[in-house]
Amino acid sequence: MSTAARARLDPVDPSLLRGLRDHVHEALRRAIVSGEIPSGAALNERQLAEELGVSTTPIKEALRRLENEGLAVTEPRRGTRVTFDARQAEEMALARAALEGMIARLAAQRVDDAALAAIQATVEQMRAATAEGDVPRLIALNEQFHDAIHDASGCRYLHRLIEGQRVYDHTARSIILGDAEERGRAFAEHAAIFEALARRDPDAAETAMRDHVVRSGRHHVKAAFDRRKEQAS
Amino acid sequence: MSTAARARLDPVDPSLLRGLRDHVHEALRRAIVSGEIPSGAALNERQLAEELGVSTTPIKEALRRLENEGLAVTEPRRGTRVTFDARQAEEMALARAALEGMIARLAAQRVDDAALAAIQATVEQMRAATAEGDVPRLIALNEQFHDAIHDASGCRYLHRLIEGQRVYDHTARSIILGDAEERGRAFAEHAAIFEALARRDPDAAETAMRDHVVRSGRHHVKAAFDRRKEQAS
DNA sequence: TGCTGAAATTTGATATATCAAGCTCGCGAC
DNA sequence: GTCGCGAGCTTGATATATCAAATTTCAGCA
């Protein structure tokens, strides 16, 4: 066997080659969350199919998924409408907070030293990026930080569920983190979460994580919907 | 206008008239959660279509939904497989606990006296049904209790999200509540949740609700998967 | 016997056709 | 003028056809 003679390769993940339905879903989700498609707007299958240059089949699948995520509702034989307003964005942020808190609690119980060291390294990089005001880097580190905690918890289902509660896009994130004060607050919160994990203190980890996500989520929602109100007037 | 002369009617909800995809989804979800279709089993579109006597279109939509719920994974051009094991059931129970806790917290802040009285009435009925060992009634009251709290919170999105974390079917529920000790524990917990709501104490409400759902969830998961292990041997 | 590779098969992905429920709008009766 | 009613249109729901990737099968060769 030749495999014994060379380095072992990672198996490819077939799910990376995604089909049209995922592109359609992503495009629609982005447009809905960013407010480009307002709440209440109709999502016409044939119209979307023509606009996106695909058939109605992948459109239907994408719409079903949006429906399941709570971003759209379908009335049989009537049509699908977007349902995403400030109220729902707040609830999604709260859901995220509750779930991130729970996963942080589990991570505090299960994290090993290697993972803890990696998280600490991320926090140190965040400290630097925060001081420098390197926003794109901060966004990447943010994700890395939260993903590392999810990994440490070992909870894949919770991770997936949390990912589904995103109420901001990359652009919104950039705007928020453009403010130095917000960067400072976020860093302090991240540091507190790390400290709790380092002490393997589940209660503290959950509280710190939840407070962070609640505050940050509120900030995002307020900023996003205030902006929309302005643009509307 | 004749409407002024008679009682106002509630608007009909068109979503009650559901199509094939919802039936397919429900059938599959039930089969997966109950263990009838084991984790790892392939879900063949054409085979399911023939079995259920429908075309592949509603099957695809149902599979997409299951995928989004985390109960199945699809590898493009390869197929869809069930993914639901004890580990995931535990995570779903934890997600439910975190979310139910959050919604109870909000309910404690927002509940009005009328809703509180209704919840209290439900608890009193639970007391009677618990003593009598009336299991079907207890199941119904349980749902009524939790739904009333969800309503009091005003959080429709959270309510939907929580409903998606169900890891037991009606049958499992009956078996669990067949045990008098379990009925007693559940009643004490429900009473504690009500007391916290009555005091408008968000922290206590969240803690009581979460503890209840965590314990009850663990019990359900353990019972369900122990039973499967036995049947397998 | 064991390996290679091409053909056949399976299966999901996508496109298209068909059906029926709702909606729109205007004609006509009162 | 208003209400009733139906023809025609719109649209989602469902079924079927087509395409291509992935897998399997098996003949042919070393």
Side-chain angles (χ1 to χ4, degrees), chain B residues 31 43 56 67 105 112 116 123 128 130 158 160 171 176 184-185 194 198:
Chain B
L43 296 173
T56 61
E67 198 181 355
R105 161 179 293 276
D112 59 47
L116 206 52
V123 172
T130 298
L158 284 176
R160 260 181 50 88
T171 311
I176 296 280
R185 275 193 293 270
F194 166 70

Side-chain angles (χ1 to χ4, degrees), chain B residues 19-21 46 53-58 76-78:
Chain B
L20 292 179
R21 62 156 169 272
R46 286 182 234 261
V54 301
S55 82
T56 61
T57 310
R77 310 263 173 196
R78 303 255 241 144

Side-chain angles (χ1 to χ4, degrees), chain B residues 116-130:
Chain B
L116 206 52
I119 294 170
Q120 183 167 26
T122 302
V123 172
E124 287 312 315
Q125 289 176 291
M126 285 171 134
R127 185 193 307 279
T130 298

Side-chain angles (χ1 to χ4, degrees), chain B residues 34-37 171 175 223-233:
Chain B
S34 73
E36 198 179 320
I37 303 180
T171 311
I175 295 171
F225 284 87
D226 282 356
R227 185 178 320 277
R228 288 177 204 181
K229 278 225 179 74
E230 274 176 37
Q231 289 181 340
S233 64

